[in-house]
Amino acid sequence: MNKTTTNENGMNDGEKYTLCPEFMKLAHLVMDGEANSEEEKLFLAHVEGSKDCKDHYMEEQNIRAVLKEKCGNVRVPDKLVKAIQLKLREITIA
C-alpha cells in the first residue's frame, strides 16, 4: 500500500490525511464485515503501520457508531442497498 491520496476534507478543523487507495477499499470491506480473513489481516497490519490510515479508520468507526445510534435498527430496503453498492463499485473502478 504505497500509493497515497490526500483527503483535505477531514472533520477536525481541515485535518489532512495521507491515505492509501488500497486502504480505502479494504477499510469499508472490513467495517462492513465483507472482507475475507486475508484482506482483514492485510488491513489491520497496514492500519498499525500508518498513523494517517489508523486515524481515518477510527474516525470512520466513530461516524458509523453515531449513525447506528441515531438511526437505530431501521431496515434499509435491499433494493437500496444493492443500488448503493453498485454505485460505489462504479466509483472505485473509475
Side-chain angles (χ1 to χ4, degrees), residues 4-80:
T4 60
T5 185
T6 301
N7 174 5
E8 297 184 12
N9 298 320
M11 295 187 60
N12 299 324
D13 299 322
E15 198 171 300
K16 295 182 183 180
Y17 295 114
T18 300
L19 303 173
C20 306
E22 295 87 357
F23 163 81
M24 295 303 297
K25 292 176 193 172
L26 288 176
H28 293 284
L29 288 174
V30 170
M31 287 187 280
D32 293 340
E34 297 177 2
N36 64 39
S37 61
E38 184 177 320
E39 290 170 328
E40 190 169 354
K41 285 179 190 176
L42 178 64
F43 171 78
L44 294 174
H46 178 75
V47 166
E48 288 305 313
S50 172
K51 182 183 179 330
D52 284 347
C53 289
K54 186 173 188 172
D55 289 348
H56 184 75
Y57 175 59
M58 298 304 294
E59 185 176 277
E60 288 280 334
Q61 284 186 313
N62 289 337
I63 291 168
R64 285 175 179 240
V66 169
L67 288 172
K68 187 174 183 179
E69 177 185 325
K70 298 298 180 187
C71 295
N73 290 326
V74 175
R75 175 86 173 124
V76 178
D78 290 336
K79 187 175 180 179
L80 176 60

